[in-house]
Amino acid sequence: MNLTLRIWRQHGPEEKGRMVKYRVEDVSPDMSFLEMLDMLNEELTLAGDEPVAFDHDCREGICGMCSLMINGSAHGPERATTTCQLHMRHFNDGDTIDIEPWRARAFPVVKDLVVDRSSFDRIIQAGGYISAPTGSAPDAHATPVPKADADAAFEAATCIGCGACVAACPNGSGMLFTAAKVTHLGLLPQGQPERDERVLNMIHAHDDAGFGGCTNTGECHEVCPKGIPLASIGRLNRDFLKASRSISR
Amino acid sequence: MNLYTEGDPIADTKAPEGPIETRWDTRRFEAKLVNPANRRKRTVIVVGTGLAGGSAAATLGEAGYHVKSYCYQDSPRRAHSIAAQGGINAAKNYRNDGDSVHRLFYDTVKGGDFRSRESNVHRLAQVSVEIIDQCVAQGVPFAREYGGLLDNRSFGGAQVSRTFYARGQTGQQLLLGAYQALERQVAAGTVEMHARHEMLDLIVVDGKARGIVVRDLVTGEITTDFADAVVLASGGYGNVFFLSTNAKGCNVTATWRAHRKGALFANPCFTQIHPTCIPQSGEHQSKLTLMSESLRNDGRVWVPKEKGDPRPANEIPEDERDYYLERIYPSFGNLVPRDIASRAAKNVCDEGRGVGPGGLGVYLDFADAIARLGQDAVEAKYGNLFEMYERITGEDPNKVPMRIYPAVHYTMGGLWVDYDLQSTIPGLFVVGEANFSDHGANRLGASALMQGLADGYFVLPNTINDYLATGDFTPVTEEHPAAVEARSAVEERINRFLSIDGDRTVDSFHRELGRIMWDYCGMERTDEGLRKAIELIRGLREEFWRRVKVPGSGDDLNQALEKAGRVADFFELAELMCIDALHRTESCGGHFRGESQTPDGEALRDDENFSYVAAWEWGGDQPPVLHKEDLTFEYVHLVQRSYK
């Protein structure tokens, strides 16, 4: 199939960007979206142009490095699918596809489609962990964990930190990302001692990084490639309120 | 000119004497310690943030050392350990099914086809139980049973259930555990994190590893950084094949640059080809995706009995199907180890009985499992894997059999290390897939995660003390001649890439190199093929340096430039892999030499002549020099692996 691409080109963080139109021909429906961009980049290189910079690594939907707003949707039109796992069979011959970077105050553009997501790491640094220095652990069976809790913790822990939730949110909020970690650790017995401090510190780091607040729009969950439940934000709010009250007491 | 020369054997691996059960205790007791108050004065650079590097950096930070951690990705959480699916082995014997440290040790030495060091493997098995405790304490959400205790499964042909898992995402959960521990140390100020930085050379001062040259991938700036010891945790080199299950960025540069500075590279030809990957769909393919080996627990592998049978799978009657693994290996059936399953798939495809595009695929069929267990039970076990398969191929494994084909997955070879995980350059330690140590010629399923975390959490932090407690650590600055030289060599190389301005892209060279490696240094190697490969690689490398086109500049984010450096190093590695494969005229593990097989086509080991680790020294303009580390087996008796 033949396609028209309109891609955001921006040379650096301080420079102005713009949409640039490209044609790609003979795209196979079995190609992944990123393989289609690889093909474009090969052509650009041989033509003496600079290839389009985009983040990617594992190309199997788990590292969270790929991004891209595709026709205004984070990770494109398929539900529960990262850009690297999106295949061209979901597009039609003659389509025009708009490709843009994540746009959020907390994710400044580095170049073209590449953004800086280090703000997510700072949220984790603020408390997204259980303090268990190496060697200090009791036997793994010392504390049984009800299967339902372990399963729910796992579900939240599958977040890949890609940032689609932020890109899709009208407020540029990182609440689903933060809530996923608060939920994962807060559901486990090992996570209880630091539970109050964790949620307060992570929320402060979230706000400091320039993420917006949550207004329950729910777009984050819709685009999340791992389907992190929206209810985890409710859990975060409850934990936050409880922690605020117990600390102020 | 000879392809290689032989040097002195490796005399000392630093493994302690005495009964094998006591060696790790002995080493820990004899290793010198660094006083807690002095630890903050000692600096360690850790390159790579996967399971090994992430856990090492976190643990060294907790111990009080000053750690500088580097990764090429935008966050340490993205390292490719994250993609490991199946699980992690540990000799907990929670199932009371006869498992023990000794059995895990035995299985690993045997599974590695007797080409690993007993002392190291035994330590790995001992430490395995602590890893699970550590991960649970960190909040890794392993699969649990209704009673709240951890679930286990049998994996990759093991006859005991010792594999701990978190659905099909065990690597992700373990890595996030290590990442969170690492970020906790970043917050505590013990670890300095440098994401989007790539190590391009090692700085060796007075014979010791004292620093690295790095490129900031965003600004293009080349800088030097210094420490008292350097730890490489930069993963494996499977991407030399271009198509592999590795992430696109995985590369050999950190270890190869260290090799060129004097670190021996051991067993480079030992690569693991994983039997259950999604077949290539066309020339555009940029990587291959693994389907967890656990699928073989319930799926049945088959091909049509007829060559070139054009019928779709569901129209081929039962008696015209060849369930070849069950036929050839009746006792292990579909659960034979990876190397055996992969080669059997290649054999049936070579016979012309392969399925799918180009005849490069075999069926993995769940129809019987669905009939036996019910759709829901199969869904619960493999639902996410089926979805992943359908997303990539557009086919539903509930309705038609999956098509699978082997793909390069893991590299057992790597930098040579002693019992302390120290390379032949003092002060340079190597952990995880980047070293060669524990898997011999073939790695067992669910053992990579075990080794990465064993090295990072428990082994390295106990052995590096001994090095850091001694020695003269006179500060080194960027003006030191060794640093200036390393840095200018890196700058010169980058300028050279940018100035060639040829007419072929980096990827086109990489793809061609990968094809040569797959054809001649893949699942079956022969003398003739390897000699041909070496010629082809040399010719292509010469062409690369003449015709490659790297657009853009060195002063900002330039992904083509990053790739050019990695591919240039793959060219040199590829030649060494072929030389290693050529010199080892036996078949063992993942290395199958066509000339060395039993009458019924199984791998034929030659313990008389090849019971050693081949550790290669960089020869510069001269051929590489082979140093042998003899392997002795005191506890596990040499037997031919048989899964029939």
Side-chain angles (χ1 to χ4, degrees):
Chain A
M1 56 178 117
N2 300 327
L3 303 166
T4 303
L5 307 176
R6 292 189 299 195
I7 302 180
W8 183 260
R9 302 300 308 257
Q10 179 174 342
H11 200 71
E14 306 304 326
E15 320 224 357
K16 249 180 121 89
R18 65 198 175 98
M19 297 297 276
V20 179
K21 200 183 275 188
Y22 301 96
R23 289 277 298 168
V24 280
E25 289 171 1
D26 292 328
V27 173
S28 155
D30 286 330
M31 278 183 182
S32 72
F33 198 83
L34 297 184
E35 285 166 352
M36 184 273 295
L37 288 180
D38 288 343
M39 191 172 96
L40 171 71
N41 277 343
E42 293 281 286
E43 287 165 11
L44 290 177
T45 301
L46 292 176
D49 293 333
E50 226 186 301
V52 180
F54 61 91
D55 265 330
H56 65 98
D57 205 21
C58 78
R59 296 205 177 188
E60 50 188 276
I62 194 75
C63 76
M65 187 116 172
C66 68
S67 51
L68 305 189
M69 281 305 246
I70 300 169
N71 287 337
S73 262
H75 288 304
E78 285 295 292
R79 281 194 72 120
T81 303
T82 55
T83 294
C84 66
Q85 294 275 281
L86 174 65
H87 281 67
M88 297 312 293
R89 66 180 76 93
H90 300 293
F91 296 88
N92 299 309
D93 187 36
D95 278 359
T96 295
I97 307 174
D98 286 343
I99 308 171
E100 296 169 85
W102 287 167
R103 297 190 190 279
R105 186 155 47 137
F107 291 163
V109 172
V110 173
K111 182 176 179 178
D112 295 340
L113 304 171
V114 174
V115 299
D116 177 354
R117 287 170 287 197
S118 54
S119 45
F120 269 4
D121 291 330
R122 292 196 292 279
I123 294 177
I124 299 297
Q125 283 158 26
Y129 49 74
I130 289 169
S131 299
T134 304
S136 62
D139 184 87
H141 271 177
T143 311
V145 181
K147 182 169 166 44
D149 290 350
D151 287 351
F154 172 82
E155 191 181 24
T158 58
C159 167
I160 58 174
C162 63
C165 48
V166 178
C169 176
N171 310 325
S173 173
M175 209 60 98
L176 191 66
F177 169 82
T178 310
K181 193 47 64 189
V182 165
T183 301
H184 160 208
L185 300 177
L187 278 166
L188 296 172
Q190 292 83 359
Q192 298 313 310
E194 293 164 300
R195 186 169 167 182
D196 286 356
E197 258 178 283
R198 175 181 308 120
V199 66
L200 295 175
N201 292 338
M202 286 180 76
I203 286 295
H204 287 143
H206 168 275
D207 294 352
D208 287 349
F211 292 103
C214 174
T215 49
N216 293 322
T217 312
E219 279 292 321
C220 51
H221 170 72
E222 293 301 311
V223 300
C224 176
K226 298 297 151 183
I228 302 297
L230 193 58
S232 34
I233 296 181
R235 195 183 161 83
L236 175 140
N237 286 333
R238 200 167 62 239
D239 272 16
F240 184 80
L241 189 63
K242 188 166 149 276
S244 310
R245 287 167 62 100
S246 70
I247 299 265
S248 62
R249 232 180 264 147
Chain B
M1 192 162 81
N2 285 333
L3 286 169
Y4 69 95
T5 56
E6 193 168 333
D8 296 334
I10 294 170
D12 187 12
T13 63
K14 281 217 241 163
E17 302 285 318
I20 201 159
E21 300 80 15
T22 64
R23 289 179 193 168
W24 180 224
D25 278 346
T26 305
R27 183 67 195 124
R28 279 190 292 182
F29 179 70
E30 287 176 354
K32 293 182 203 71
L33 301 175
V34 179
N35 180 316
N38 286 335
R39 289 184 199 154
R40 65 173 184 277
K41 298 175 198 156
R42 294 274 82 92
T43 304
V44 181
I45 287 174
V46 182
V47 180
T49 59
L51 287 179
S55 61
T59 305
L60 293 172
E62 287 162 5
Y65 292 111
H66 179 206
V67 180
K68 300 173 184 182
S69 169
Y70 284 86
C71 67
Y72 72 78
Q73 298 91 342
D74 73 332
S75 162
R77 66 180 290 151
R78 314 232 190 262
H80 196 55
S81 305
I82 202 147
Q85 297 171 3
I88 178 166
N89 286 329
K92 281 285 198 184
N93 194 28
Y94 281 159
R95 286 306 173 99
N96 196 27
D97 56 3
D99 200 10
S100 62
V101 166
H102 194 81
R103 188 178 294 280
L104 176 54
F105 157 66
Y106 176 89
D107 287 354
T108 307
V109 172
K110 181 184 172 208
D113 221 358
F114 305 95
R115 292 295 174 262
S116 50
R117 195 187 289 153
E118 278 190 338
S119 304
N120 283 51
V121 177
H122 195 276
R123 174 178 63 192
L124 175 68
Q126 283 177 304
V127 163
S128 70
V129 296
E130 295 175 65
I131 296 171
I132 303 303
D133 300 340
Q134 179 61 32
C135 294
V136 166
Q138 286 173 342
V140 170
F142 284 118
R144 286 180 184 266
E145 297 179 323
Y146 284 100
L149 301 178
L150 295 164
D151 193 14
N152 293 115
R153 61 185 174 195
S154 157
F155 196 80
Q159 289 177 313
V160 291
S161 290
R162 62 160 75 101
T163 304
F164 295 77
Y165 67 100
R167 214 168 301 169
Q169 286 153 257
T170 317
Q172 180 197 31
Q173 294 310 315
L174 297 176
L175 183 66
L176 293 180
Y179 158 75
Q180 287 163 201
L182 177 65
E183 293 296 357
R184 177 169 163 259
Q185 292 310 303
V186 171
T190 60
V191 177
E192 269 174 48
M193 187 67 229
H194 303 273
R196 288 200 200 271
H197 279 70
E198 182 164 23
M199 167 180 163
L200 295 178
D201 211 349
L202 180 73
I203 298 170
V204 180
V205 175
D206 299 331
K208 293 176 176 175
R210 291 301 303 274
I212 58 175
V213 181
V214 288
R215 180 167 182 269
D216 179 329
L217 299 181
V218 174
T219 65
E221 196 187 357
I222 311 282
T223 51
T224 45
D225 199 2
F226 302 96
D228 302 314
V230 176
V231 179
L232 297 186
S234 50
Y237 49 87
N239 271 351
V240 68
F241 291 87
F242 185 72
L243 287 181
S244 81
T245 65
N246 284 185
K248 291 297 287 175
C250 292
N251 67 83
V252 77
T253 291
T255 48
W256 191 256
R257 293 281 128 191
H259 172 58
R260 290 178 57 120
K261 285 281 166 87
L264 301 187
F265 206 112
N267 297 336
C269 82
F270 288 167
T271 46
Q272 180 163 80
I273 306 213
H274 195 290
T276 55
C277 300
I278 300 177
Q280 191 176 345
S281 69
E283 274 306 304
H284 54 264
Q285 192 93 24
S286 63
K287 79 151 278 159
L288 295 168
T289 301
L290 178 88
M291 301 303 296
S292 169
E293 188 154 43
S294 63
L295 291 166
R296 288 199 281 146
N297 287 339
D298 287 301
R300 297 180 70 197
V301 177
W302 64 277
V303 289
K305 283 184 177 165
E306 260 324 288
K307 283 182 192 175
D309 194 326
R311 291 172 291 178
N314 54 8
E315 287 173 21
I316 299 177
E318 198 62 26
D319 62 348
E320 291 177 43
R321 301 176 174 192
D322 179 13
Y323 294 89
Y324 59 90
L325 288 177
E326 298 170 22
R327 174 173 58 82
I328 307 172
Y329 305 100
S331 67
F332 278 71
N334 294 298
L335 292 174
V336 291
R338 293 176 174 179
D339 52 339
I340 292 176
S342 291
R343 203 151 38 75
K346 176 184 169 8
N347 289 342
V348 295
C349 292
D350 286 352
E351 289 166 19
R353 297 195 287 145
V355 299
L360 293 176
V362 299
Y363 290 126
L364 179 63
D365 199 335
F366 288 88
D368 281 2
I370 292 170
R372 178 165 44 93
L373 305 166
Q375 184 85 53
D376 290 349
V378 172
E379 177 66 32
K381 260 177 152 168
Y382 305 114
N384 58 335
L385 295 168
F386 282 18
E387 265 173 47
M388 183 160 123
Y389 181 84
E390 189 172 0
R391 208 171 288 136
I392 292 170
T393 62
E395 294 173 357
D396 178 2
N398 288 304
K399 300 195 177 95
V400 294
M402 278 185 179
R403 285 175 297 107
I404 54 166
Y405 197 64
V408 174
H409 176 56
Y410 186 88
T411 52
M412 282 73 72
L415 291 183
W416 185 90
V417 288
D418 63 16
Y419 189 73
D420 284 356
L421 304 182
Q422 186 164 218
S423 73
T424 45
I425 299 175
L428 181 71
F429 293 78
V430 191
V431 294
E433 191 179 350
N435 73 28
F436 87 106
S437 69
D438 296 343
H439 306 297
N442 176 54
R443 178 175 65 72
L444 293 179
S447 283
L449 304 186
M450 171 172 69
Q451 185 225 337
L453 290 181
D455 286 1
Y457 280 133
F458 296 106
V459 180
L460 178 89
N462 281 292
T463 57
I464 201 171
N465 297 325
D466 189 64
Y467 179 78
L468 292 172
T470 51
D472 160 33
F473 296 114
T474 314
V476 181
T477 65
E478 59 181 21
E479 282 87 33
H480 191 284
V484 172
E485 193 199 324
R487 186 182 152 164
S488 52
V490 164
E491 283 168 344
E492 209 170 288
R493 194 159 178 258
I494 286 175
N495 290 336
R496 194 165 159 210
F497 286 131
L498 292 166
S499 63
I500 296 170
D501 197 29
D503 58 357
R504 283 189 65 175
T505 62
V506 176
D507 272 359
S508 81
F509 281 105
H510 194 180
R511 213 177 269 278
E512 194 174 335
L513 172 67
R515 189 65 208 222
I516 296 170
M517 293 303 284
W518 179 251
D519 286 348
Y520 301 110
C521 199
M523 277 186 281
E524 181 170 341
R525 295 108 184 239
T526 63
D527 184 278
E528 190 194 348
L530 289 163
R531 287 182 195 278
K532 184 171 173 193
I534 292 167
E535 287 310 305
L536 291 171
I537 291 164
R538 288 178 177 173
L540 190 64
R541 181 171 63 216
E542 183 275 327
E543 191 180 332
F544 172 82
W545 285 102
R546 201 161 34 82
R547 288 182 60 190
V548 75
K549 185 175 180 83
V550 181
S553 83
D555 303 330
D556 70 339
L557 183 69
N558 184 341
Q559 293 168 323
L561 178 63
E562 295 165 23
K563 281 194 277 194
R566 295 168 191 165
V567 172
D569 289 333
F570 279 137
F571 269 114
E572 294 180 359
L573 166 76
E575 186 174 325
L576 185 67
M577 286 171 73
C578 291
I579 291 172
D580 185 42
L582 184 65
H583 110 282
R584 192 174 280 276
T585 56
E586 64 162 352
S587 294
C588 63
H591 171 63
F592 187 82
R593 276 292 294 260
E595 300 90 344
S596 181
Q597 44 186 312
T598 62
D600 53 353
E602 296 300 324
L604 183 63
R605 243 179 27 233
D606 178 0
D607 295 324
E608 183 100 9
N609 294 305
F610 288 100
S611 192
Y612 62 79
V613 174
W616 297 91
E617 179 187 345
W618 171 249
D621 298 335
Q622 299 299 309
V625 184
L626 170 64
H627 299 272
K628 295 177 181 174
E629 177 200 331
D630 274 324
L631 295 171
T632 47
F633 295 92
E634 298 170 71
Y635 294 87
V636 182
H637 294 296
L638 287 158
V639 290
Q640 193 200 339
R641 285 199 303 156
S642 174
Y643 296 93
K644 292 204 167 173

